[in-house]
Amino acid sequence: MIISNISFEKKKFHVSFDNGEEIKISEDTLVNFGLYKGQEVEEEFVENLKFEDEKSEALLLSYKFLQRNKTKQQLIDYLYKNKIQRDIIDLVLPILEEKNYLNDEDYARRYLSDALNIKKYGKIKTRYMLMSKGIDKKIIEKVMEDYDYELEYTNALELIEKRISKDETDPKIINSAKNYLQGRGFEFEIINFTLDDYLGVE
């Protein structure tokens, strides 16, 4: 097979062969393989070219996507959405992890910090949100070992103070505050303890 023509259109290089076949590749692939018009190549070379180009595209998509902190599962879903094949995905994941573009434990620790300090979620919701992002249970358990229960109490108390007064006695209003904290993922034990402490219940 001989490369009969190379043209550029819509951010891709179109490589045509004398047998009528045409493929679209990125500039990186074109440069890496040193392709030029009139070059003679084997048929197997074309398949290898396609594979390497998809790998290059997958890495490029990944680098852009991972500019914002993301999990491995979120990246996999994103690449699937962009029609990247599974064997290519399996190939680029270790590359990204080795370069530390992808680190689920680091992501989980950052999320835990945000959940406590910014979002003020309770333990249940924090764990649920980490699971919903596809983080492995072992990583979640490891990260949750550093859970700050004192800060959780402070957060619960702060949220309660915004909902009810210290001399509140209406059961409906108190239960409403409990339901609010439950909705933010606090466990019943911390909810009851914090409310009793706030209301001065013996």
Side-chain angles (χ1 to χ4, degrees), residues 14-31:
H14 294 233
V15 181
S16 304
F17 300 90
D18 59 355
N19 65 351
E21 186 174 357
E22 180 181 304
I23 62 173
K24 300 174 185 178
I25 59 175
S26 66
E27 181 179 3
D28 285 344
T29 304
L30 183 78
V31 173

Side-chain angles (χ1 to χ4, degrees), residues 166-189:
K166 288 182 70 69
D167 57 356
E168 184 60 64
T169 57
D170 188 332
K172 289 184 179 180
I173 295 177
I174 294 173
N175 282 331
S176 175
K178 286 184 177 181
N179 290 335
Y180 175 72
L181 288 181
Q182 186 181 351
R184 296 190 69 85
F186 289 88
E187 296 173 309
F188 286 117
E189 184 178 2

Side-chain angles (χ1 to χ4, degrees), residues 62-98:
S62 299
Y63 291 141
K64 288 181 178 179
F65 185 69
L66 294 172
Q67 286 179 349
R68 293 186 177 183
N69 206 21
K70 300 290 182 181
T71 68
K72 181 190 291 186
Q73 188 58 52
Q74 287 174 323
L75 175 61
I76 290 172
D77 293 342
Y78 176 74
L79 292 177
Y80 267 136
K81 184 179 178 181
N82 282 274
K83 300 179 181 179
I84 302 296
Q85 298 178 48
R86 182 70 213 204
D87 57 344
I88 298 291
I89 294 175
D90 290 339
L91 195 64
V92 302
L93 288 177
I95 296 174
L96 296 165
E97 288 176 325
E98 185 179 348

